[in-house]
Amino acid sequence: MIPDASPLPLPITQPKPMSQNQLDKKSQAWSALFSEPMSDLVKRYTASVFFDQRLWQADIAGSLAHADMLAAQAIISAQDLSDIQRGLAQIRAEIEAGTFDWKLDLEDVHLNIEARLTQLVGDAGKRLHTGRSRNDQVATDVRLWLRGEIDLIADLLRELQRALVDVAEQNVDVILPGFTHLQVAQPVSFGHHLLAYVEMFARDAERINEVRARVNRLPLGAAALAGTSYPLDRVRVARTLGMVDAQGTPQVCQNSLDAVSDRDFAIEFTAASALCMVHISRLSEELVLWMSQNFGFIKIADRFTTGSSIMPQKKNPDVPELARGKTGRVVGHLMGLITLMKGQPLAYNKDNQEDKEPLFDTVDTLKDTLRIFAEMIAGQTNPTTGGRAGGITVNVQAMEQAALKGYATATDLADYLVRKGLPFRDAHEAVAHAVKAAIAHQVDLSELPLAVLQGFNARIDKDVFDVLSLRGSLHARNTLGGTAPAQVQAQIARHRARLA
Ligand code: ARG
């Protein structure tokens, strides 16, 4: 038999408003509900303030927009709004001056700023959180912060593309072997080769800009998960925070559960960053190869290389190697973030606090890498002379010598025979015999005497030597997007107009 429930005890004391001291100790005892303070280990384990404090500007901007709307909706008074504005201005100044006292006890950037605000302006500070939760607050902060970083990354991507276009323009007529399977395939313009990377980085910029549109949407107003009973004007907040589309239409997350919980925007940003790093890594791999003694195609400025503590002759391409290595790190962050999301039920879960470090590190790594690559490739512009220092130095002879080595114009000979009426497959076969003979005599195709060449096919005439030269081969590939210098020049003009 179930005993009679004992009567509910009457409250012994009425709850008093929280004192500042109590507010500071909030994480030790959230409310009267908790019977013991949080352990120090748990406090450290759950706190994020030492990494999420970098969101402070976004946090203040979000709070100002929220407070402005609360006042406009008569949820708080004009006096409260002005107190909040004054307090947040002081907090901004303190953080900028480095005098703000970040407290582990206050867990994260949001509670640290809110507690200080209340300390500075009293009750108005406590009213700021009306109709808001840290769940919609943090989602808003991360989005605002990331939007700003995306804009910086877009600028850096343009810088890098400009650097590559500059070097491409100086090297339109420089020939190096184009490879497939890392075997010499056909001669290509070094300018053309560099423009391949411009295409990749242009797509990266495009991609990151598309991500920006989905980052720039407002979660605030979703509150903890279900919306709020206060008459909030979310559209006004979106407008204040510049969360609008290209047409200026405010962008508000339309489902409160989704707004506070999903981090797909961070995942797709990291995916775009990982892809960009993969492009950097491919370029790095080529720079490393080109710098090796076996290629000897390029040199990069000494300030981007390091020596060896034991081998005095060495100049190591540490910067491209590190960039190649850091690509693994960003790809890892993508895996971390996407796995973080998997299996989370609606709505907000504390798991999401783990979105920050990988996201921050992705941004830092990508920005540093793009900046250093732009400078390493084009050199640094001297602001007074406008001249460039450093950058890539090209060894034109080494590139052309290498292109001469691998029978890179064999396809041109086949194409020549096709123009003389031979079916392509027969032409391919005839040229294979010619290459075999040239290898046996250790000469280039262009060094075989006409009579010998004619032995492989009678249609060969002395005009064949035009197509067997590297330049002849290069100029012949004059289709849109091909390596002929005229095409490369056209692409450079297009990129210049696009990047202006
Ligand atoms: N520091 C938290 C985070 O980064 C803020 C949100 C906390 N919300 C909560 N209900 N505990 O996700």
Side-chain angles (χ1 to χ4, degrees):
M1 212 180 117
I2 302 168
D4 277 356
S6 50
L8 279 175
L10 285 170
I12 304 163
T13 52
Q14 287 296 314
K16 285 192 295 237
M18 262 202 267
S19 72
Q20 186 54 48
N21 196 33
Q22 280 170 316
L23 211 66
D24 278 352
K25 296 241 152 45
K26 216 171 160 190
S27 57
Q28 289 176 5
W30 282 93
S31 65
L33 195 63
F34 293 79
S35 56
E36 58 173 1
M38 203 183 252
S39 86
D40 279 347
L41 183 58
V42 172
K43 222 187 274 174
R44 259 198 299 119
Y45 194 72
T46 56
S48 54
V49 64
F50 291 110
F51 52 83
D52 71 11
Q53 58 181 259
R54 81 151 84 182
L55 295 174
W56 70 268
Q57 276 168 308
D59 196 69
I60 290 179
S63 289
L64 286 171
H66 181 66
D68 158 82
M69 179 275 295
L70 291 178
Q73 297 293 99
I75 301 167
I76 62 172
S77 70
Q79 184 58 52
D80 285 335
L81 173 61
S82 105
D83 287 347
I84 288 169
Q85 288 167 334
R86 175 171 51 81
L88 289 174
Q90 175 162 343
I91 291 171
R92 171 187 298 280
E94 288 175 1
I95 298 174
E96 278 170 352
T99 56
F100 189 88
D101 185 15
W102 296 101
K103 293 186 181 128
L104 182 81
D105 269 353
L106 288 168
E107 198 183 313
D108 59 21
V109 59
H110 324 291
L111 293 177
N112 267 269
I113 290 180
E114 194 189 332
R116 177 69 181 140
L117 181 67
T118 302
Q119 200 176 46
L120 290 170
V121 304
D123 280 356
K126 295 188 208 160
R127 292 202 178 99
L128 172 62
H129 213 51
T130 313
R132 185 175 79 166
S133 151
R134 277 188 300 153
N135 298 351
D136 57 344
Q137 187 178 358
V138 68
T140 304
D141 288 6
V142 176
R143 284 170 180 267
L144 279 178
W145 171 84
L146 186 56
R147 181 184 72 184
E149 295 297 328
I150 285 176
D151 292 342
L152 296 176
I153 289 166
D155 287 346
L156 290 168
L157 272 168
R158 293 169 79 80
E159 268 305 297
L160 176 57
Q161 289 179 74
R162 281 196 203 103
L164 285 163
V165 171
D166 284 351
V167 183
E169 189 160 44
Q170 293 151 16
N171 291 280
V172 173
D173 295 309
V174 172
I175 297 177
L176 83 165
F179 296 98
T180 61
H181 315 273
L182 208 57
Q183 307 285 313
V184 172
Q186 290 173 358
V188 295
S189 145
F190 186 44
H192 189 57
H193 194 114
L194 293 174
L195 291 188
Y197 287 100
V198 174
E199 293 289 336
M200 296 179 221
F201 295 127
R203 284 196 300 279
D204 288 329
E206 204 176 299
R207 205 167 357 251
I208 238 151
N209 201 40
E210 287 160 7
V211 171
R212 187 193 193 276
R214 282 182 291 276
V215 168
N216 200 25
R217 291 178 187 165
L218 181 80
L220 214 57
L225 75 164
T228 168
S229 55
Y230 300 96
L232 303 189
D233 182 352
R234 299 185 65 205
V235 169
R236 180 190 174 105
V237 178
R239 207 175 272 125
T240 309
L241 292 173
M243 289 181 143
V244 295
D245 68 7
Q247 286 71 47
T249 309
Q251 300 293 300
V252 175
C253 298
Q254 299 288 316
N255 180 294
S256 60
L257 297 163
D258 174 49
V260 293
S261 64
D262 207 343
R263 295 292 181 265
D264 59 354
F265 68 91
I267 296 171
E268 64 172 320
F269 166 78
T270 308
S273 301
L275 205 39
C276 182
M277 286 298 293
V278 165
H279 291 150
I280 296 253
S281 184
R282 295 184 70 192
L283 176 56
S284 298
E285 172 66 12
E286 301 218 87
L287 294 174
V288 171
L289 280 175
W290 293 342
M291 280 178 70
S292 81
Q293 284 75 7
N294 301 19
F295 280 74
F297 286 2
I298 60 158
K299 283 201 169 74
I300 58 177
D302 278 358
R303 66 179 178 283
F304 295 99
T305 62
T306 59
S308 154
S309 51
I310 177 167
M311 297 166 282
Q313 85 282 14
K314 298 264 289 199
K315 243 181 219 177
N316 296 329
D318 282 26
V319 168
E321 287 174 277
L322 262 178
R324 200 172 52 189
K326 284 174 190 287
T327 302
R329 170 170 168 158
V330 174
V331 171
H333 291 328
L334 170 61
M335 292 307 119
L337 282 174
I338 201 162
T339 311
L340 167 71
M341 208 63 240
K342 176 190 175 299
Q344 275 196 54
L346 288 173
Y348 176 85
N349 301 283
K350 187 77 168 182
D351 312 39
N352 281 342
Q353 182 164 290
E354 285 291 305
D355 65 352
K356 290 174 197 60
E357 286 160 296
L359 188 60
F360 294 168
D361 190 68
T362 295
V363 164
D364 291 344
T365 306
L366 183 60
K367 273 166 57 186
D368 284 351
T369 307
L370 290 172
R371 194 172 289 133
I372 206 163
F373 264 62
E375 192 191 320
M376 184 173 66
I377 284 162
Q380 212 172 26
T381 310
N382 180 324
T384 38
T385 64
R388 297 262 197 197
I392 287 184
T393 316
V394 178
N395 185 338
V396 176
Q397 283 73 32
M399 284 191 180
E400 297 205 356
Q401 262 335 103
L404 283 171
K405 260 183 215 156
Y407 303 98
T409 57
T411 318
D412 296 86
L413 180 55
D415 290 346
Y416 169 89
L417 287 170
V418 168
R419 281 197 298 278
K420 299 265 174 177
L422 209 62
F424 183 77
R425 281 291 161 222
D426 295 339
H428 187 280
E429 182 63 17
V431 175
H433 286 293
V435 170
K436 197 171 173 189
I439 291 171
H441 291 91
Q442 297 186 329
V443 293
D444 183 49
L445 281 178
S446 61
E447 291 165 331
L448 289 173
L450 182 58
V452 174
L453 284 169
Q454 283 169 332
F456 300 109
N457 192 285
R459 296 175 213 228
I460 294 179
D461 212 340
K462 59 179 184 308
D463 60 349
V464 74
F465 293 107
D466 298 338
V467 308
L468 290 182
S469 76
L470 293 181
R471 293 221 137 52
S473 167
L474 198 72
H475 283 268
R477 289 186 164 63
N478 200 15
T479 40
L480 176 74
T483 192
Q487 293 295 333
V488 180
Q489 290 291 8
Q491 294 294 336
I492 287 171
R494 183 177 67 84
H495 288 305
R496 288 242 184 265
R498 186 174 63 74
L499 294 166

